[in-house]
Amino acid sequence: MPGPAAPTWGNVRQIEVGGGASYRVTVGAGLLGQLHVPHRHVALIHPEDLPPAFVAQVQASVQPVVTIPVPARDDCKTLTVLAGVLSTLAAANIPRDGAVVGLGGGAATDLAGFAAASYLRGVAFYTVPTTLLGMVDAAVGGKTGVNLPEGKNLVGAFWPPQAVWCDTDTLATLPSAVFREGAAEAYKHGLIADPSLLGRVTSPDFHAGGPTLEGTVADAIAVKAGVVTRDLTEKGERAFLNFGHTLAHALEAVTHHAISHGEAVGYGMHYAARLSRALGGADLTEHTLTFLRWQRPAPLPPLTYDDAAPYMARDKKADADGVRFVLLRDLAQPYLGRVPEPVLRAEFEGWQAEVRGL
């Protein structure tokens, strides 16, 4: 399930995302000052804790008529913040042929994309992710949205960007824990599609400024680009990108985001690997344990299966017959399956004991 080939020149890689709304993802160093947004009326949305130098570089590139800071991380992904952003766009008279640029981590670009999809029933959207998690996951694919108290990403729209720019220089400002958090989505792409990513993500060379950074990021993006090209609106294989996310989103919700998204995905991938093994798939738990040892996520707070189960039941892969999990028959062999409740409960208990012992 690899994605489209990524052309290379210098330290810049480009990945084409096809389908009904094609666009290009550019990966490289020093891109913030080279953005091209061909709209006269541009709104720039960014998290309030973003380094001011990043904001200034993008402002110089796209000349926004209004810049809108929003709360950091998932605190921005609420209907209240969305309403404020939409009112600001209206007050700034952003017209239908205007554009929204989302700059920052995955939460900010999710919010910016949903604002672009909602305002005037849809204006152009451009994405400039500044975190590893945003680059390899949130900024690509056109999924936009906000959270509800009942669960993560329950309100949103498919609204593909016109272009995505991933300036890898921004990753040098991330704390190492935040970089490792973002690596979860790249490792997931290795499990479901491109096993070469597994060793590359946990290699000592994979770090901000490292010799394998651009290539690994671009190849991880290419996996998602290929899936999105074939299935934009998650009618089929795009669901495979949610490997590990059924429990991950539950952990985020039940802990009120005390567990970050990337760390929750790390935990969730190990649970999904245990479920896959329990249903007759290959034993891939050593891969997921290897990643957790490398990632070193925050410890889990006390919680039970019954704490997490209601949130898993509201997962977006659920249908009229209940929740479905992304499972693996083997590396790069994902499928959607139902898991009996006794298996879910037993594996949760085994998973919890195992990850607490890391």
Side-chain angles (χ1 to χ4, degrees):
M1 200 167 54
T8 307
W9 55 93
N11 68 339
V12 174
R13 298 278 299 272
Q14 292 193 320
I15 303 98
E16 302 293 335
V17 184
S22 60
Y23 54 95
R24 177 175 293 166
V25 182
T26 304
V27 180
L31 299 178
L32 290 189
Q34 305 176 37
L35 311 183
H36 176 62
V37 176
H39 300 263
R40 286 191 297 164
H41 297 84
V42 175
L44 174 62
I45 298 173
H46 69 86
E48 58 195 5
D49 65 345
L50 199 68
F54 294 173
V55 179
Q57 283 182 275
V58 174
Q59 286 174 324
S61 288
V62 306
Q63 298 293 308
V65 298
V66 62
T67 297
I68 309 171
V70 297
R73 300 181 74 89
D74 271 69
D75 286 347
C76 77
K77 290 184 62 170
T78 70
L79 293 172
T80 300
V81 173
L82 174 68
V85 168
L86 294 173
S87 291
T88 303
L89 295 176
N93 293 317
I94 301 296
R96 189 178 295 276
D97 61 354
V100 168
V101 175
L103 169 69
T109 58
D110 278 1
L111 169 72
F114 191 33
S118 305
Y119 180 69
L120 297 179
R121 297 187 177 90
V123 296
F125 173 48
Y126 296 82
T127 315
V128 190
T130 59
T131 66
L132 181 58
L133 185 64
M135 290 179 187
V136 300
D137 183 51
V140 179
K143 275 189 178 181
T144 69
V146 297
N147 305 329
L148 296 178
E150 292 77 12
K152 188 174 175 73
N153 294 328
L154 294 183
V155 180
F158 291 99
W159 195 248
Q162 304 291 305
V164 180
W165 295 280
C166 302
D167 186 341
T168 54
D169 280 348
T170 65
L171 302 180
T173 67
L174 299 179
S176 59
V178 176
F179 184 91
R180 294 194 305 271
E181 174 201 348
E185 297 286 0
Y187 199 82
K188 174 207 70 183
H189 292 168
L191 289 168
I192 67 169
D194 181 0
S196 77
L197 288 167
L198 302 179
R200 294 160 64 190
V201 167
T202 55
S203 164
D205 288 336
F206 185 59
H207 58 83
T212 65
L213 180 67
E214 279 84 10
T216 302
V217 169
D219 288 345
I221 291 171
V223 169
K224 185 165 187 178
V227 173
V228 168
T229 295
R230 296 185 292 269
D231 179 23
L232 173 63
T233 57
E234 205 167 310
K235 303 299 184 185
E237 72 172 294
R238 184 164 182 173
F240 298 156
L241 294 170
N242 287 304
F243 180 75
H245 284 56
T246 303
L247 178 60
H249 287 163
L251 291 176
E252 291 179 82
V254 77
T255 65
H256 304 288
H257 301 286
I259 300 293
S260 66
H261 177 70
E263 293 182 338
V265 169
Y267 281 128
M269 289 192 297
H270 186 54
Y271 183 56
R274 289 182 60 101
L275 294 177
S276 300
R277 181 181 64 187
L279 269 63
D283 186 355
L284 303 177
T285 57
E286 193 51 45
H287 288 292
T288 50
L289 284 171
T290 294
F291 179 75
L292 284 171
R293 294 186 189 106
W294 177 85
Q295 187 188 45
R296 305 194 300 276
L300 286 171
L303 82 159
T304 67
Y305 173 78
D306 292 320
D307 293 327
Y311 294 98
M312 290 196 288
R314 287 194 284 269
D315 183 80
K316 297 186 297 298
K317 295 179 294 300
D319 59 17
D321 295 317
V323 67
R324 298 177 296 168
F325 282 78
V326 181
L327 305 171
L328 290 170
R329 294 187 177 89
D330 207 333
L331 288 177
Q333 295 181 27
Y335 70 101
L336 273 177
R338 301 189 192 280
V339 184
E341 198 275 341
V343 176
L344 291 174
R345 186 178 293 272
E347 290 299 326
F348 187 92
E349 293 172 359
W351 161 83
Q352 192 170 52
E354 201 162 31
V355 298
R356 286 193 187 282
L358 290 174

